[in-house]
Amino acid sequence: MVIEIEKEVFENRDFKGLNFFLQLCTYKDRYRVYTEIDNELLNSKFFKRLDYDDQSSLIEYYDNLVRNQDSNSDIFLKSKYKVTSTFVEHQNVFTIDEAIRYFIQPLSIILENSKNDAYFINTIFKHFANDSKILTYLENNWIQFENAGGCDNIKNFIEGKKQSFNALPKSDKSKYLRCFVLMDSDKLHPIQPLKGNKKIILRFLIDNSISRHILRKRSIENYVPVEAIETLKTNSNYTCWIDAYRSLSEPQKDFFSIENGLSDLDEKQQFKKTKEQINLETNNLYDNIFVEPLLDVTLMTGIKQKGFGKFKNNFPILFKNNAVTKLNLEERAGNDELERIVHKIEHLL
């Protein structure tokens, strides 16, 4: 992330604010910050009062920008963020006071369940991050996982965060948010439209300019590589179920409920759904498995019916299993989706 400080900021009287902001940016190289260096600035009172290391960093980074700028573009117009001496409503343009509040906050990765879904995010960070920047941010708590408390509460959670900026001057408080939202699709087959509640949340995120990603597959659990699931075979109760699950096609695995299976059981331990209901809901995605008696009976229920307790808490831990590799994550994803999620988050750092 590159932040430009306009030269006029060095003429203001708020030296403490400017100095604090520079310390915030340069601490452990959290942000890249520059200002246009000329003799007038070098000889200004505020610049001379800066710490020697901060002066050197500003000069060095400016020199690097000048040296590396493309002849066809003006690099000074490409900064995503700008700090100015006067207030404006524009997004990504802040006064010193606004900038301090904006850049001091960690990047919030908002999840439907932060405790469980964080295993997925940390795993794709580990295998798909381009460099050590994300890991540095994690180590310094500059990224935090936020628990929305379920999909339907994401909007309320974000509205609460916006209220924390009520004392700041921009009329649209969403301009102060630093968020990324990840949601399950909850789809039962590939061409199923998003459910109504998901569409409402997606529109809210777009309207508030919040970076987001809705998973292509049904849920986070559908990204666990089969090799990691097979490590559960140390408990013989799971062996037949895992073998049946493994025999599914890749699209079938993408939208299969690992927790509940195709039907699940009611309180009388009877199947909740008929084959016809399942085929209607899933657009006949699983029609072929009903001709195989073993798969039919086994996969009508999920792995929790085989004794796998507290599924939502325990199953995502498989992302930490040594059997998980970049290769089998890519194979289970079936495309570059996991890389794209990481790139979206990297873009916000």
Side-chain angles (χ1 to χ4, degrees):
M1 179 182 294
V2 179
I3 307 165
E4 178 188 359
I5 303 177
E6 289 189 340
K7 287 197 303 179
E8 289 75 13
V9 174
F10 290 84
E11 299 171 6
N12 289 349
R13 294 181 179 180
D14 185 15
F15 175 77
K16 287 187 177 180
L18 172 62
N19 188 53
F20 179 77
F21 179 66
L22 286 172
Q23 299 295 319
L24 168 66
C25 292
T26 57
Y27 178 67
K28 295 189 178 181
D29 200 27
R30 184 173 183 178
Y31 306 117
R32 293 298 183 93
V33 59
Y34 80 91
T35 190
E36 189 172 354
I37 303 293
D38 57 20
N39 288 332
E40 181 182 0
L41 182 68
L42 293 174
N43 293 317
S44 66
K45 180 176 65 174
F46 274 12
F47 190 85
K48 288 181 177 180
R49 287 179 62 187
L50 293 175
D51 179 273
Y52 175 78
D53 289 339
D54 289 334
Q55 292 183 31
S56 298
S57 295
L58 287 171
I59 294 170
E60 179 184 1
Y61 194 51
Y62 178 78
D63 287 344
N64 287 338
L65 289 174
V66 172
R67 193 161 45 245
N68 296 325
Q69 66 176 314
D70 188 279
S71 59
N72 295 321
S73 64
D74 184 350
I75 199 164
F76 303 116
L77 298 177
K78 289 193 169 184
S79 300
K80 183 175 181 184
Y81 299 95
K82 182 176 290 189
V83 179
T84 66
S85 58
T86 56
F87 167 73
V88 294
E89 282 282 1
H90 300 315
Q91 187 154 1
N92 300 340
V93 180
F94 305 111
T95 62
I96 282 290
D97 287 342
E98 290 180 288
I100 289 171
R101 282 290 306 277
Y102 182 81
F103 291 105
I104 203 170
Q105 63 179 317
L107 172 67
S108 292
I109 298 181
I110 301 173
L111 305 168
E112 295 182 43
N113 185 316
S114 62
K115 178 181 177 182
N116 305 327
D117 298 350
Y119 290 113
F120 170 71
I121 294 291
N122 280 319
T123 295
I124 64 174
F125 281 169
K126 175 182 176 181
H127 293 287
F128 295 96
N130 288 331
D131 53 38
S132 61
K133 188 171 186 179
I134 281 182
L135 299 180
T136 299
Y137 268 63
L138 288 170
E139 290 169 0
N140 288 282
N141 295 316
W142 297 337
I143 292 175
Q144 65 183 18
F145 298 112
E146 304 267 25
N147 183 21
C151 171
D152 291 336
N153 200 48
I154 288 174
K155 180 178 178 180
N156 290 336
F157 183 87
I158 292 173
E159 289 289 4
K161 291 187 75 70
K162 287 168 65 175
Q163 289 179 9
S164 69
F165 302 117
N166 281 345
L168 294 177
K170 291 192 194 308
S171 57
D172 181 359
K173 305 308 177 187
S174 67
K175 293 177 180 178
Y176 297 117
L177 291 171
R178 294 192 66 203
C179 297
F180 175 83
V181 175
L182 182 74
M183 292 192 296
D184 293 336
S185 74
D186 292 336
K187 290 184 177 183
L188 304 182
H189 58 83
I191 61 174
Q192 182 181 24
L194 287 175
K195 296 178 181 177
N197 63 332
K198 299 280 183 180
K199 289 181 179 179
I200 291 171
I201 295 167
L202 177 58
R203 172 46 55 190
F204 172 79
L205 297 177
I206 293 171
D207 290 343
N208 284 271
S209 301
I210 295 172
S211 182
R212 67 264 165 202
H213 186 90
I214 298 178
L215 295 175
R216 184 183 68 83
K217 303 182 191 298
R218 179 174 183 153
S219 68
I220 279 172
E221 290 83 8
N222 295 89
Y223 292 81
V224 175
V226 174
E227 292 82 355
I229 298 176
E230 287 203 317
T231 64
L232 299 175
K233 283 186 175 181
T234 53
N235 185 326
S236 59
N237 290 341
Y238 308 140
T239 301
C240 290
W241 187 93
I242 292 171
D243 287 341
Y245 171 76
R246 180 162 195 140
S247 70
L248 293 174
S249 68
E250 294 306 305
Q252 288 171 336
K253 291 190 187 82
D254 290 347
F255 300 95
F256 182 78
S257 174
I258 297 172
E259 179 181 15
N260 298 316
L262 294 171
S263 171
D264 204 2
L265 302 176
D266 61 21
E267 58 186 15
K268 296 180 180 180
Q269 299 302 295
Q270 300 296 311
F271 292 141
K272 291 181 178 179
K273 301 173 185 176
T274 66
K275 297 175 184 179
E276 290 73 19
Q277 288 174 311
I278 294 167
N279 281 340
L280 180 64
E281 288 180 346
T282 64
N283 197 37
N284 295 303
L285 179 61
Y286 301 97
D287 185 43
N288 68 302
I289 75 170
F290 291 126
V291 302
E292 298 287 345
L294 174 64
L295 300 186
D296 182 353
V297 174
T298 304
L299 296 180
M300 286 292 280
T301 58
I303 197 171
K304 77 171 185 180
Q305 294 293 344
K306 308 303 176 185
F308 193 92
K310 296 183 177 179
F311 177 84
K312 288 295 183 182
N313 291 336
N314 295 330
F315 193 81
I317 297 175
L318 286 174
F319 280 114
K320 295 178 63 177
N321 193 283
N322 290 333
V324 174
T325 66
K326 181 177 182 179
L327 179 60
N328 58 33
L329 283 168
E330 288 176 328
E331 290 174 345
R332 183 77 283 275
N335 53 32
D336 65 347
E337 183 181 14
L338 303 183
E339 293 174 275
R340 287 189 283 112
I341 293 172
V342 173
H343 291 163
K344 287 180 181 180
I345 295 172
E346 286 177 332
H347 184 69
L348 301 173
L349 302 181

